[in-house]
Amino acid sequence: MTRTVLAILLALGPWAGLPAGAADAPGAADPVSARAYEVKFKSLADAAELIGPLLSPQGSVTLQPRLKTLMIQDRVSVLDRVASLLSSFDVAPRNVEIAMSLFLGTDRREQEAGRIIPPSSMTKDVRGIAETLGDFTKWNAYEPLGGRAVTGVEGGRVTVNLSDEYRVAYDIDTVRDQSVKLTNFVLQRVTRGADGKEKVQDVYSAAVVLPVGRMLMLGAAQNPESKRALFLTLQARPR
């Protein structure tokens, strides 16, 4: 009798003390649960798209626009990762100041030697860049046309007149400590007819990434043989 009992205990040994069915429940330590996540600043659609790749095959997400909430069902480990990702994504929009200076470069090599740069018309930084451009391009004389510094908010649209003739408009896409991304950026020339109506011509358009702490310069000319070209300097300062 003793030998028979001992043999049975040895056979059951690896599972001894476990509740029934525990060995067949691989998700017991990481069960499926549900949590609600409030999205305060960003869109629910963007948040749902961001976390989509994190979800397991058991995961699902439900948008609740009225409550600005995502209801997510998934493994607890996945829900923890979702919480961490959303905390870094859903942050208040930042302000950024963009300082701009616009000037006209002219090819005057045939008329005179050297460069003409009015010493009091440009900042030291812009003047230095103009001097450098004169060493590497054919536009060797520069005339300031206007400039502004304007503060906008991440996710907003900014339109600013640099002069009576030129304006800049852009969307502030993202503001980071190292860079600022502007989308739908356009430099426009504005003329007015005898009836006072504006006629707007796009001179330059692109998406622009500004490195924080450095100056970016954009240039535009009608063609490589043009005697004149516009140069626009941009500097970003997150607030």
Side-chain angles (χ1 to χ4, degrees):
M1 180 67 180
T2 303
R3 291 180 181 178
T4 302
V5 172
L6 181 60
I8 294 174
L9 289 175
L10 289 174
L12 295 177
W15 295 273
L18 291 179
D24 296 325
D30 192 14
V32 173
S33 184
R35 293 182 194 172
Y37 301 86
E38 183 181 9
V39 180
K40 296 180 180 179
F41 305 107
K42 302 299 176 65
S43 76
L44 285 182
D46 288 346
E49 183 178 357
L50 178 70
I51 66 173
L54 291 181
L55 301 182
S56 73
Q58 294 79 30
S60 65
V61 56
T62 302
L63 280 66
Q64 299 178 327
R66 188 175 63 84
L67 300 176
K68 299 192 67 176
T69 298
L70 295 178
M71 181 63 69
I72 301 174
Q73 179 174 300
D74 210 324
R75 300 284 181 186
V76 169
S77 61
V78 173
L79 297 179
D80 291 341
R81 292 198 296 271
V82 167
S84 178
L85 182 60
L86 286 179
S87 67
S88 61
F89 169 74
D90 187 35
V91 295
R94 299 180 63 182
N95 291 341
V96 61
E97 180 187 84
I98 306 294
M100 295 166 278
S101 294
L102 179 68
F103 54 96
L104 177 68
T106 305
D107 179 5
R108 301 183 61 176
R109 292 173 299 175
E110 296 179 359
Q111 291 85 355
E112 55 191 80
R115 296 180 294 274
I116 298 179
I117 305 175
S120 61
S121 62
M122 301 181 188
T123 67
K124 181 179 179 180
D125 289 339
V126 174
R127 191 161 60 246
I129 291 178
E131 291 172 351
T132 301
L133 282 172
D135 292 333
F136 293 95
T137 75
K138 67 178 184 178
W139 296 285
N140 58 354
Y142 299 91
E143 174 190 354
L145 300 179
R148 287 280 301 277
V150 60
T151 298
V153 64
E154 190 175 14
R157 180 74 175 170
V158 174
T159 300
V160 55
N161 293 322
L162 299 180
S163 67
D164 291 338
E165 191 176 2
Y166 291 96
R167 75 167 55 128
V168 168
Y170 52 84
D171 294 321
I172 304 175
D173 184 84
T174 54
V175 179
R176 301 288 184 264
D177 291 335
Q178 294 78 25
S179 64
V180 175
K181 182 178 180 182
L182 308 179
T183 56
N184 299 315
F185 180 94
V186 59
L187 170 64
Q188 299 175 324
R189 184 179 181 184
V190 182
T191 56
R192 294 169 179 81
D195 56 0
K197 291 184 178 180
E198 288 187 350
K199 181 180 180 181
V200 179
Q201 175 190 3
D202 291 350
V203 177
Y204 179 92
S205 60
V208 178
V209 177
L210 302 179
V212 172
R214 299 173 57 188
M215 179 180 291
L216 179 70
M217 175 169 284
L218 307 175
Q222 289 185 346
N223 58 68
E225 304 303 320
S226 176
K227 293 291 186 180
R228 303 196 306 172
L230 288 171
F231 294 93
L232 177 67
T233 65
L234 300 165
Q235 285 182 297
R237 183 182 301 173
R239 296 295 190 183

